[in-house]
Amino acid sequence: MATLTLKNISKIYPGNVRAVSEVNAEIGDGEFVILVGPSGCGKSTLLRMIAGLEEISGGELSIDGRVVNDVHAKDRDIAFVFQNYALYPHMTVGENMAFGLKMRKFAKSEIDHRVTEAASILGLSEYLQRKPGALSGGQRQRVAVGRAIVRQPKLFLFDEPLSNLDAKMRVTMRAELIKLHKRLQATMVYVTHDQVEAMSMGDRLIVMKNGIVQQVGAPLEIYNKPANQFVAGFIGSPPMNFIHCEVEKRGNDWFVVSEGLNLKMPLSKFHALATTYQNSDAKAVLGIRPEDIHEKSGEPEAVNARVEILEQLGGEVIATCSLGSNEITARLSARTQARTDEQIELVFDLERAKLFDAASGRTLV
Ligand code: ADP
């Protein structure tokens, strides 16, 4: 069990590549925290610095209150699960899991006990005598996790551990890792570029872009209250729609206007609108999630859109529609009567909409 404190952690690679900038975070004992962001945003670098596999250029990293910047990886009591599993092909599953303990001169009885227990947790008991080459991708990934579990480390670090698996196996392994975390109650830091993985697995997410933390919070907090347009667009699938618009005050009412759109904002947003936009015709970006756009006819506030593409997913239909020069995505009921190339009436749930600063992307309303 471990707590982790990151204070202004930075990484500058040779050639002045700033991969991680001044990251601050507190990770509590037993927490499952996900570092998430697009490829190249610095999440692996940050994880490798926590592991001691990469030198820290600036800042202070503490585990259980002790600064470990200069503590060697093998002395940090951390287990790292890699994307490529890194199993020894000539060893059996059992030998792979036992290897780290053998190196650390554990007694054979203790090794056997831990390997048997980990194999049972991970459903690997009947494969202990097999070589990795004779296992499926999912089973190999489980062996890699097993090798980490037997160490009984303070802290588990995972670097995109599911990205080599097919879609179905990823879903299965996601659930297994959630169960594993519940069972072990261990502190886990998990890197992924997949926002679905992040949303479904993490107690808390640290969302990164260009080496900079954009937002830290529980998955639903980030989904409901994104700090900026980047986070709003990155978390959620299909992604949030963004429409460049102007904010207008007419009489006492506030409107959001764009080509094909003239939306009266709800009363609940007036205060925020009034404090943000003192005058009319301010440029903004309206953000609305596909699940907050509903197909309804005959409503006064409905907008007319043209259906361009319909993706039938069985339980729902994803509709891509054009609204003037804007393109928007809506999640429609599986029973929709919408047809491609026809008009459809859509109602935006503006209570749930966001307005972002057109220049900085900051969430304003
Ligand atoms: P992520 O894990 O989010 O994909 P990385 O941490 O791997 O991102 O990389 C962050 C940035 O640092 C990228 O721009 C990458 O090209 C750069 N980078 C990673 N490793 C090195 C290295 N050894 N030397 C120089 N630049 C690196």
mmCIF file of all heavy atoms in Angstrom, residues 32 34 81-85 137-142 144-145 158-178 190-194 196-198 200-201:
data_model
loop_
_atom_site.group_PDB
_atom_site.id
_atom_site.type_symbol
_atom_site.label_atom_id
_atom_site.label_comp_id
_atom_site.label_asym_id
_atom_site.label_seq_id
_atom_site.Cartn_x
_atom_site.Cartn_y
_atom_site.Cartn_z
ATOM 1 N N PHE A 32 -7.053 3.951 -7.639
ATOM 2 C CA PHE A 32 -6.803 3.499 -9.008
ATOM 3 C C PHE A 32 -6.860 4.763 -9.871
ATOM 4 O O PHE A 32 -7.940 5.289 -10.133
ATOM 5 C CB PHE A 32 -7.887 2.503 -9.411
ATOM 6 C CG PHE A 32 -7.571 1.677 -10.629
ATOM 7 C CD1 PHE A 32 -8.240 0.481 -10.849
ATOM 8 C CD2 PHE A 32 -6.615 2.065 -11.557
ATOM 9 C CE1 PHE A 32 -7.969 -0.308 -11.954
ATOM 10 C CE2 PHE A 32 -6.330 1.294 -12.663
ATOM 11 C CZ PHE A 32 -7.019 0.093 -12.862
ATOM 12 N N ILE A 34 -5.836 6.938 -13.332
ATOM 13 C CA ILE A 34 -5.516 6.743 -14.739
ATOM 14 C C ILE A 34 -4.876 8.002 -15.307
ATOM 15 O O ILE A 34 -5.431 9.096 -15.162
ATOM 16 C CB ILE A 34 -6.796 6.441 -15.551
ATOM 17 C CG1 ILE A 34 -7.661 5.421 -14.832
ATOM 18 C CG2 ILE A 34 -6.450 6.037 -16.975
ATOM 19 C CD1 ILE A 34 -7.553 4.022 -15.240
ATOM 20 N N VAL A 81 3.709 -3.249 -15.170
ATOM 21 C CA VAL A 81 3.171 -4.160 -16.188
ATOM 22 C C VAL A 81 3.248 -3.452 -17.536
ATOM 23 O O VAL A 81 2.656 -2.396 -17.728
ATOM 24 C CB VAL A 81 1.715 -4.571 -15.874
ATOM 25 C CG1 VAL A 81 1.171 -5.496 -16.954
ATOM 26 C CG2 VAL A 81 1.630 -5.236 -14.507
ATOM 27 N N PHE A 82 4.012 -4.054 -18.451
ATOM 28 C CA PHE A 82 4.283 -3.400 -19.735
ATOM 29 C C PHE A 82 3.238 -3.770 -20.784
ATOM 30 O O PHE A 82 2.599 -4.816 -20.714
ATOM 31 C CB PHE A 82 5.659 -3.830 -20.260
ATOM 32 C CG PHE A 82 6.794 -3.357 -19.405
ATOM 33 C CD1 PHE A 82 7.290 -4.169 -18.395
ATOM 34 C CD2 PHE A 82 7.364 -2.115 -19.604
ATOM 35 C CE1 PHE A 82 8.347 -3.741 -17.602
ATOM 36 C CE2 PHE A 82 8.411 -1.684 -18.817
ATOM 37 C CZ PHE A 82 8.904 -2.495 -17.811
ATOM 38 N N GLN A 83 3.165 -2.912 -21.784
ATOM 39 C CA GLN A 83 2.264 -3.109 -22.913
ATOM 40 C C GLN A 83 2.575 -4.415 -23.656
ATOM 41 O O GLN A 83 1.694 -5.130 -24.080
ATOM 42 C CB GLN A 83 2.449 -1.913 -23.852
ATOM 43 C CG GLN A 83 1.652 -1.979 -25.105
ATOM 44 C CD GLN A 83 1.822 -0.692 -25.916
ATOM 45 O OE1 GLN A 83 2.563 0.204 -25.533
ATOM 46 N NE2 GLN A 83 1.131 -0.603 -27.009
ATOM 47 N N ASN A 84 3.881 -4.706 -23.800
ATOM 48 C CA ASN A 84 4.255 -5.887 -24.603
ATOM 49 C C ASN A 84 4.459 -7.130 -23.735
ATOM 50 O O ASN A 84 5.074 -8.093 -24.173
ATOM 51 C CB ASN A 84 5.508 -5.571 -25.411
ATOM 52 C CG ASN A 84 6.666 -5.214 -24.507
ATOM 53 O OD1 ASN A 84 6.566 -5.368 -23.285
ATOM 54 N ND2 ASN A 84 7.764 -4.742 -25.051
ATOM 55 N N TYR A 85 3.989 -7.087 -22.493
ATOM 56 C CA TYR A 85 4.027 -8.208 -21.531
ATOM 57 C C TYR A 85 5.438 -8.537 -21.049
ATOM 58 O O TYR A 85 5.624 -8.846 -19.890
ATOM 59 C CB TYR A 85 3.390 -9.504 -22.067
ATOM 60 C CG TYR A 85 2.137 -9.299 -22.878
ATOM 61 C CD1 TYR A 85 1.876 -10.081 -23.999
ATOM 62 C CD2 TYR A 85 1.210 -8.338 -22.527
ATOM 63 C CE1 TYR A 85 0.717 -9.893 -24.745
ATOM 64 C CE2 TYR A 85 0.056 -8.153 -23.267
ATOM 65 C CZ TYR A 85 -0.177 -8.927 -24.375
ATOM 66 O OH TYR A 85 -1.305 -8.738 -25.103
ATOM 67 N N GLY A 137 -3.457 -13.913 -26.336
ATOM 68 C CA GLY A 137 -2.994 -12.587 -25.906
ATOM 69 C C GLY A 137 -3.490 -12.238 -24.507
ATOM 70 O O GLY A 137 -2.743 -11.726 -23.669
ATOM 71 N N GLY A 138 -4.756 -12.526 -24.262
ATOM 72 C CA GLY A 138 -5.348 -12.208 -22.962
ATOM 73 C C GLY A 138 -4.683 -12.991 -21.841
ATOM 74 O O GLY A 138 -4.430 -12.466 -20.748
ATOM 75 N N GLN A 139 -4.382 -14.269 -22.121
ATOM 76 C CA GLN A 139 -3.731 -15.105 -21.100
ATOM 77 C C GLN A 139 -2.314 -14.602 -20.817
ATOM 78 O O GLN A 139 -1.883 -14.557 -19.667
ATOM 79 C CB GLN A 139 -3.704 -16.567 -21.551
ATOM 80 C CG GLN A 139 -5.095 -17.193 -21.532
ATOM 81 C CD GLN A 139 -5.160 -18.499 -22.301
ATOM 82 O OE1 GLN A 139 -4.340 -18.762 -23.183
ATOM 83 N NE2 GLN A 139 -6.133 -19.318 -21.984
ATOM 84 N N ARG A 140 -1.620 -14.192 -21.877
ATOM 85 C CA ARG A 140 -0.258 -13.662 -21.676
ATOM 86 C C ARG A 140 -0.304 -12.402 -20.809
ATOM 87 O O ARG A 140 0.536 -12.194 -19.950
ATOM 88 C CB ARG A 140 0.366 -13.287 -23.027
ATOM 89 C CG ARG A 140 0.982 -14.463 -23.698
ATOM 90 C CD ARG A 140 1.590 -14.034 -25.024
ATOM 91 N NE ARG A 140 1.276 -15.063 -25.985
ATOM 92 C CZ ARG A 140 1.320 -14.935 -27.289
ATOM 93 N NH1 ARG A 140 1.671 -13.782 -27.834
ATOM 94 N NH2 ARG A 140 1.012 -15.935 -28.063
ATOM 95 N N GLN A 141 -1.302 -11.563 -21.099
ATOM 96 C CA GLN A 141 -1.425 -10.334 -20.313
ATOM 97 C C GLN A 141 -1.678 -10.668 -18.848
ATOM 98 O O GLN A 141 -1.137 -10.038 -17.945
ATOM 99 C CB GLN A 141 -2.557 -9.471 -20.871
ATOM 100 C CG GLN A 141 -2.690 -8.135 -20.211
ATOM 101 C CD GLN A 141 -1.409 -7.328 -20.280
ATOM 102 O OE1 GLN A 141 -1.015 -6.831 -21.305
ATOM 103 N NE2 GLN A 141 -0.707 -7.216 -19.168
ATOM 104 N N ARG A 142 -2.470 -11.732 -18.624
ATOM 105 C CA ARG A 142 -2.726 -12.152 -17.244
ATOM 106 C C ARG A 142 -1.455 -12.631 -16.561
ATOM 107 O O ARG A 142 -1.252 -12.393 -15.373
ATOM 108 C CB ARG A 142 -3.751 -13.284 -17.218
ATOM 109 C CG ARG A 142 -5.130 -12.740 -17.049
ATOM 110 C CD ARG A 142 -6.121 -13.854 -16.994
ATOM 111 N NE ARG A 142 -7.153 -13.509 -17.944
ATOM 112 C CZ ARG A 142 -7.882 -14.349 -18.617
ATOM 113 N NH1 ARG A 142 -7.712 -15.632 -18.463
ATOM 114 N NH2 ARG A 142 -8.780 -13.912 -19.433
ATOM 115 N N ALA A 144 1.518 -11.548 -17.212
ATOM 116 C CA ALA A 144 2.286 -10.333 -16.895
ATOM 117 C C ALA A 144 1.747 -9.684 -15.619
ATOM 118 O O ALA A 144 2.512 -9.216 -14.771
ATOM 119 C CB ALA A 144 2.227 -9.357 -18.063
ATOM 120 N N VAL A 145 0.428 -9.686 -15.469
ATOM 121 C CA VAL A 145 -0.173 -9.133 -14.248
ATOM 122 C C VAL A 145 0.174 -10.032 -13.054
ATOM 123 O O VAL A 145 0.499 -9.550 -11.968
ATOM 124 C CB VAL A 145 -1.713 -8.992 -14.403
ATOM 125 C CG1 VAL A 145 -2.356 -8.583 -13.088
ATOM 126 C CG2 VAL A 145 -2.038 -7.974 -15.488
ATOM 127 N N PHE A 158 0.851 0.418 -14.626
ATOM 128 C CA PHE A 158 0.471 -0.255 -15.872
ATOM 129 C C PHE A 158 0.665 0.714 -17.038
ATOM 130 O O PHE A 158 0.132 1.810 -17.009
ATOM 131 C CB PHE A 158 -1.008 -0.638 -15.848
ATOM 132 C CG PHE A 158 -1.389 -1.626 -14.783
ATOM 133 C CD1 PHE A 158 -1.780 -1.191 -13.514
ATOM 134 C CD2 PHE A 158 -1.385 -2.982 -15.041
ATOM 135 C CE1 PHE A 158 -2.159 -2.104 -12.540
ATOM 136 C CE2 PHE A 158 -1.768 -3.903 -14.077
ATOM 137 C CZ PHE A 158 -2.153 -3.468 -12.822
ATOM 138 N N ASP A 159 1.395 0.275 -18.064
ATOM 139 C CA ASP A 159 1.570 1.121 -19.246
ATOM 140 C C ASP A 159 0.811 0.511 -20.424
ATOM 141 O O ASP A 159 1.294 -0.425 -21.050
ATOM 142 C CB ASP A 159 3.061 1.264 -19.587
ATOM 143 C CG ASP A 159 3.296 2.361 -20.623
ATOM 144 O OD1 ASP A 159 2.307 2.979 -21.079
ATOM 145 O OD2 ASP A 159 4.460 2.601 -20.973
ATOM 146 N N GLU A 160 -0.359 1.030 -20.708
ATOM 147 C CA GLU A 160 -1.205 0.565 -21.818
ATOM 148 C C GLU A 160 -1.251 -0.963 -21.878
ATOM 149 O O GLU A 160 -0.978 -1.546 -22.941
ATOM 150 C CB GLU A 160 -0.668 1.106 -23.155
ATOM 151 C CG GLU A 160 -0.490 2.603 -23.175
ATOM 152 C CD GLU A 160 -1.436 3.318 -24.108
ATOM 153 O OE1 GLU A 160 -2.373 2.689 -24.621
ATOM 154 O OE2 GLU A 160 -1.244 4.526 -24.305
ATOM 155 N N PRO A 161 -1.611 -1.640 -20.804
ATOM 156 C CA PRO A 161 -1.463 -3.092 -20.791
ATOM 157 C C PRO A 161 -2.439 -3.829 -21.710
ATOM 158 O O PRO A 161 -2.215 -4.988 -22.015
ATOM 159 C CB PRO A 161 -1.727 -3.464 -19.325
ATOM 160 C CG PRO A 161 -2.614 -2.386 -18.833
ATOM 161 C CD PRO A 161 -2.175 -1.135 -19.541
ATOM 162 N N LEU A 162 -3.497 -3.160 -22.150
ATOM 163 C CA LEU A 162 -4.511 -3.884 -22.929
ATOM 164 C C LEU A 162 -4.469 -3.556 -24.413
ATOM 165 O O LEU A 162 -5.278 -4.055 -25.188
ATOM 166 C CB LEU A 162 -5.916 -3.573 -22.375
ATOM 167 C CG LEU A 162 -6.103 -3.790 -20.869
ATOM 168 C CD1 LEU A 162 -7.560 -3.577 -20.487
ATOM 169 C CD2 LEU A 162 -5.651 -5.187 -20.459
ATOM 170 N N SER A 163 -3.510 -2.715 -24.824
ATOM 171 C CA SER A 163 -3.603 -2.205 -26.195
ATOM 172 C C SER A 163 -3.265 -3.241 -27.261
ATOM 173 O O SER A 163 -3.593 -3.045 -28.418
ATOM 174 C CB SER A 163 -2.756 -0.948 -26.364
ATOM 175 O OG SER A 163 -1.453 -1.229 -25.971
ATOM 176 N N ASN A 164 -2.653 -4.365 -26.870
ATOM 177 C CA ASN A 164 -2.381 -5.399 -27.878
ATOM 178 C C ASN A 164 -3.480 -6.442 -27.978
ATOM 179 O O ASN A 164 -3.339 -7.420 -28.697
ATOM 180 C CB ASN A 164 -1.060 -6.119 -27.567
ATOM 181 C CG ASN A 164 0.129 -5.210 -27.834
ATOM 182 O OD1 ASN A 164 0.013 -4.251 -28.591
ATOM 183 N ND2 ASN A 164 1.245 -5.493 -27.206
ATOM 184 N N LEU A 165 -4.565 -6.244 -27.237
ATOM 185 C CA LEU A 165 -5.634 -7.253 -27.232
ATOM 186 C C LEU A 165 -6.758 -6.847 -28.184
ATOM 187 O O LEU A 165 -6.940 -5.659 -28.467
ATOM 188 C CB LEU A 165 -6.198 -7.392 -25.817
ATOM 189 C CG LEU A 165 -5.186 -7.744 -24.734
ATOM 190 C CD1 LEU A 165 -5.867 -7.793 -23.376
ATOM 191 C CD2 LEU A 165 -4.519 -9.086 -25.033
ATOM 192 N N ASP A 166 -7.511 -7.844 -28.645
ATOM 193 C CA ASP A 166 -8.651 -7.493 -29.496
ATOM 194 C C ASP A 166 -9.753 -6.865 -28.631
ATOM 195 O O ASP A 166 -9.717 -6.941 -27.402
ATOM 196 C CB ASP A 166 -9.153 -8.702 -30.298
ATOM 197 C CG ASP A 166 -9.706 -9.799 -29.420
ATOM 198 O OD1 ASP A 166 -10.519 -9.491 -28.519
ATOM 199 O OD2 ASP A 166 -9.332 -10.966 -29.618
ATOM 200 N N ALA A 167 -10.734 -6.251 -29.309
ATOM 201 C CA ALA A 167 -11.712 -5.413 -28.609
ATOM 202 C C ALA A 167 -12.451 -6.191 -27.513
ATOM 203 O O ALA A 167 -12.651 -5.687 -26.409
ATOM 204 C CB ALA A 167 -12.707 -4.848 -29.619
ATOM 205 N N LYS A 168 -12.818 -7.430 -27.806
ATOM 206 C CA LYS A 168 -13.608 -8.208 -26.851
ATOM 207 C C LYS A 168 -12.764 -8.556 -25.621
ATOM 208 O O LYS A 168 -13.215 -8.437 -24.479
ATOM 209 C CB LYS A 168 -14.106 -9.472 -27.553
ATOM 210 C CG LYS A 168 -15.102 -10.254 -26.745
ATOM 211 C CD LYS A 168 -15.953 -11.142 -27.642
ATOM 212 C CE LYS A 168 -16.898 -11.974 -26.810
ATOM 213 N NZ LYS A 168 -16.304 -13.244 -26.427
ATOM 214 N N MET A 169 -11.517 -8.960 -25.882
ATOM 215 C CA MET A 169 -10.629 -9.332 -24.779
ATOM 216 C C MET A 169 -10.304 -8.101 -23.916
ATOM 217 O O MET A 169 -10.142 -8.204 -22.705
ATOM 218 C CB MET A 169 -9.347 -9.957 -25.358
ATOM 219 C CG MET A 169 -8.389 -10.489 -24.318
ATOM 220 S SD MET A 169 -9.144 -11.578 -23.099
ATOM 221 C CE MET A 169 -9.385 -13.046 -24.059
ATOM 222 N N ARG A 170 -10.230 -6.940 -24.564
ATOM 223 C CA ARG A 170 -9.973 -5.706 -23.800
ATOM 224 C C ARG A 170 -11.076 -5.452 -22.791
ATOM 225 O O ARG A 170 -10.822 -5.094 -21.648
ATOM 226 C CB ARG A 170 -9.890 -4.502 -24.753
ATOM 227 C CG ARG A 170 -8.500 -4.215 -25.238
ATOM 228 C CD ARG A 170 -8.290 -2.742 -25.527
ATOM 229 N NE ARG A 170 -9.218 -2.220 -26.513
ATOM 230 C CZ ARG A 170 -9.019 -2.252 -27.817
ATOM 231 N NH1 ARG A 170 -7.911 -2.765 -28.312
ATOM 232 N NH2 ARG A 170 -9.900 -1.761 -28.646
ATOM 233 N N VAL A 171 -12.318 -5.664 -23.226
ATOM 234 C CA VAL A 171 -13.454 -5.438 -22.333
ATOM 235 C C VAL A 171 -13.394 -6.421 -21.165
ATOM 236 O O VAL A 171 -13.578 -6.056 -20.004
ATOM 237 C CB VAL A 171 -14.792 -5.567 -23.103
ATOM 238 C CG1 VAL A 171 -15.965 -5.443 -22.160
ATOM 239 C CG2 VAL A 171 -14.866 -4.500 -24.187
ATOM 240 N N THR A 172 -13.061 -7.682 -21.475
ATOM 241 C CA THR A 172 -12.969 -8.703 -20.424
ATOM 242 C C THR A 172 -11.868 -8.347 -19.437
ATOM 243 O O THR A 172 -12.055 -8.390 -18.219
ATOM 244 C CB THR A 172 -12.645 -10.083 -21.062
ATOM 245 O OG1 THR A 172 -13.574 -10.304 -22.095
ATOM 246 C CG2 THR A 172 -12.728 -11.190 -20.047
ATOM 247 N N MET A 173 -10.699 -7.983 -19.968
ATOM 248 C CA MET A 173 -9.555 -7.695 -19.101
ATOM 249 C C MET A 173 -9.780 -6.433 -18.272
ATOM 250 O O MET A 173 -9.310 -6.320 -17.147
ATOM 251 C CB MET A 173 -8.257 -7.551 -19.921
ATOM 252 C CG MET A 173 -7.662 -8.862 -20.386
ATOM 253 S SD MET A 173 -7.266 -10.012 -19.036
ATOM 254 C CE MET A 173 -5.909 -9.173 -18.235
ATOM 255 N N ARG A 174 -10.516 -5.492 -18.856
ATOM 256 C CA ARG A 174 -10.857 -4.266 -18.118
ATOM 257 C C ARG A 174 -11.601 -4.645 -16.844
ATOM 258 O O ARG A 174 -11.247 -4.207 -15.751
ATOM 259 C CB ARG A 174 -11.785 -3.431 -19.008
ATOM 260 C CG ARG A 174 -11.457 -1.980 -19.044
ATOM 261 C CD ARG A 174 -11.920 -1.344 -20.310
ATOM 262 N NE ARG A 174 -13.370 -1.344 -20.477
ATOM 263 C CZ ARG A 174 -13.984 -1.079 -21.636
ATOM 264 N NH1 ARG A 174 -13.277 -0.787 -22.696
ATOM 265 N NH2 ARG A 174 -15.283 -1.094 -21.704
ATOM 266 N N ALA A 175 -12.610 -5.495 -17.012
ATOM 267 C CA ALA A 175 -13.414 -5.920 -15.859
ATOM 268 C C ALA A 175 -12.536 -6.688 -14.872
ATOM 269 O O ALA A 175 -12.674 -6.538 -13.655
ATOM 270 C CB ALA A 175 -14.574 -6.775 -16.338
ATOM 271 N N GLU A 176 -11.626 -7.495 -15.386
ATOM 272 C CA GLU A 176 -10.777 -8.284 -14.487
ATOM 273 C C GLU A 176 -9.831 -7.393 -13.687
ATOM 274 O O GLU A 176 -9.572 -7.650 -12.516
ATOM 275 C CB GLU A 176 -9.974 -9.309 -15.291
ATOM 276 C CG GLU A 176 -10.896 -10.375 -15.834
ATOM 277 C CD GLU A 176 -10.167 -11.630 -16.243
ATOM 278 O OE1 GLU A 176 -8.959 -11.730 -15.988
ATOM 279 O OE2 GLU A 176 -10.827 -12.502 -16.811
ATOM 280 N N LEU A 177 -9.320 -6.351 -14.329
ATOM 281 C CA LEU A 177 -8.416 -5.452 -13.599
ATOM 282 C C LEU A 177 -9.173 -4.661 -12.535
ATOM 283 O O LEU A 177 -8.641 -4.390 -11.458
ATOM 284 C CB LEU A 177 -7.691 -4.512 -14.571
ATOM 285 C CG LEU A 177 -6.617 -5.189 -15.438
ATOM 286 C CD1 LEU A 177 -6.031 -4.205 -16.446
ATOM 287 C CD2 LEU A 177 -5.495 -5.769 -14.583
ATOM 288 N N ILE A 178 -10.430 -4.313 -12.826
ATOM 289 C CA ILE A 178 -11.240 -3.611 -11.817
ATOM 290 C C ILE A 178 -11.447 -4.536 -10.610
ATOM 291 O O ILE A 178 -11.286 -4.136 -9.458
ATOM 292 C CB ILE A 178 -12.607 -3.182 -12.405
ATOM 293 C CG1 ILE A 178 -12.401 -2.127 -13.501
ATOM 294 C CG2 ILE A 178 -13.526 -2.635 -11.317
ATOM 295 C CD1 ILE A 178 -13.635 -1.844 -14.342
ATOM 296 N N TYR A 190 -2.283 3.829 -13.917
ATOM 297 C CA TYR A 190 -2.541 3.117 -15.166
ATOM 298 C C TYR A 190 -2.536 4.117 -16.316
ATOM 299 O O TYR A 190 -3.261 5.117 -16.285
ATOM 300 C CB TYR A 190 -3.911 2.467 -15.014
ATOM 301 C CG TYR A 190 -4.375 1.569 -16.110
ATOM 302 C CD1 TYR A 190 -4.395 0.196 -15.934
ATOM 303 C CD2 TYR A 190 -4.840 2.082 -17.313
ATOM 304 C CE1 TYR A 190 -4.860 -0.646 -16.933
ATOM 305 C CE2 TYR A 190 -5.300 1.254 -18.323
ATOM 306 C CZ TYR A 190 -5.311 -0.107 -18.124
ATOM 307 O OH TYR A 190 -5.767 -0.938 -19.114
ATOM 308 N N VAL A 191 -1.711 3.857 -17.311
ATOM 309 C CA VAL A 191 -1.619 4.761 -18.460
ATOM 310 C C VAL A 191 -2.430 4.223 -19.630
ATOM 311 O O VAL A 191 -2.330 3.038 -19.958
ATOM 312 C CB VAL A 191 -0.141 4.909 -18.897
ATOM 313 C CG1 VAL A 191 -0.043 5.382 -20.339
ATOM 314 C CG2 VAL A 191 0.590 5.885 -17.993
ATOM 315 N N THR A 192 -3.227 5.073 -20.228
ATOM 316 C CA THR A 192 -3.934 4.678 -21.456
ATOM 317 C C THR A 192 -4.239 5.917 -22.298
ATOM 318 O O THR A 192 -4.346 7.015 -21.778
ATOM 319 C CB THR A 192 -5.244 3.917 -21.139
ATOM 320 O OG1 THR A 192 -5.866 3.547 -22.367
ATOM 321 C CG2 THR A 192 -6.220 4.749 -20.332
ATOM 322 N N HIS A 193 -4.368 5.683 -23.632
ATOM 323 C CA HIS A 193 -4.822 6.785 -24.490
ATOM 324 C C HIS A 193 -6.318 6.617 -24.759
ATOM 325 O O HIS A 193 -6.928 7.435 -25.423
ATOM 326 C CB HIS A 193 -4.050 6.787 -25.811
ATOM 327 C CG HIS A 193 -4.311 5.566 -26.629
ATOM 328 N ND1 HIS A 193 -3.621 4.393 -26.449
ATOM 329 C CD2 HIS A 193 -5.235 5.320 -27.582
ATOM 330 C CE1 HIS A 193 -4.102 3.474 -27.278
ATOM 331 N NE2 HIS A 193 -5.075 4.010 -27.974
ATOM 332 N N ASP A 194 -6.883 5.516 -24.205
ATOM 333 C CA ASP A 194 -8.262 5.149 -24.507
ATOM 334 C C ASP A 194 -9.185 5.720 -23.431
ATOM 335 O O ASP A 194 -9.187 5.263 -22.286
ATOM 336 C CB ASP A 194 -8.332 3.619 -24.541
ATOM 337 C CG ASP A 194 -9.730 3.100 -24.842
ATOM 338 O OD1 ASP A 194 -10.695 3.874 -24.715
ATOM 339 O OD2 ASP A 194 -9.838 1.912 -25.177
ATOM 340 N N VAL A 196 -12.310 5.453 -23.009
ATOM 341 C CA VAL A 196 -13.322 4.518 -22.494
ATOM 342 C C VAL A 196 -12.714 3.706 -21.354
ATOM 343 O O VAL A 196 -13.324 3.530 -20.287
ATOM 344 C CB VAL A 196 -13.842 3.577 -23.608
ATOM 345 C CG1 VAL A 196 -14.842 2.583 -23.031
ATOM 346 C CG2 VAL A 196 -14.479 4.373 -24.730
ATOM 347 N N GLU A 197 -11.484 3.240 -21.574
ATOM 348 C CA GLU A 197 -10.769 2.518 -20.524
ATOM 349 C C GLU A 197 -10.641 3.401 -19.280
ATOM 350 O O GLU A 197 -10.891 2.969 -18.160
ATOM 351 C CB GLU A 197 -9.368 2.165 -21.031
ATOM 352 C CG GLU A 197 -8.983 0.717 -20.864
ATOM 353 C CD GLU A 197 -7.716 0.406 -21.628
ATOM 354 O OE1 GLU A 197 -6.601 0.624 -21.121
ATOM 355 O OE2 GLU A 197 -7.861 -0.037 -22.775
ATOM 356 N N ALA A 198 -10.267 4.649 -19.515
ATOM 357 C CA ALA A 198 -10.065 5.581 -18.398
ATOM 358 C C ALA A 198 -11.370 5.788 -17.630
ATOM 359 O O ALA A 198 -11.412 5.665 -16.405
ATOM 360 C CB ALA A 198 -9.538 6.912 -18.926
ATOM 361 N N SER A 200 -14.029 3.945 -17.496
ATOM 362 C CA SER A 200 -14.655 2.772 -16.875
ATOM 363 C C SER A 200 -13.822 2.197 -15.741
ATOM 364 O O SER A 200 -14.330 1.489 -14.898
ATOM 365 C CB SER A 200 -14.931 1.701 -17.934
ATOM 366 O OG SER A 200 -13.722 1.336 -18.560
ATOM 367 N N MET A 201 -12.513 2.478 -15.704
ATOM 368 C CA MET A 201 -11.678 1.822 -14.703
ATOM 369 C C MET A 201 -11.245 2.710 -13.548
ATOM 370 O O MET A 201 -11.022 2.230 -12.450
ATOM 371 C CB MET A 201 -10.415 1.278 -15.373
ATOM 372 C CG MET A 201 -10.706 0.150 -16.338
ATOM 373 S SD MET A 201 -9.220 -0.366 -17.208
ATOM 374 C CE MET A 201 -8.366 -1.196 -15.919
#
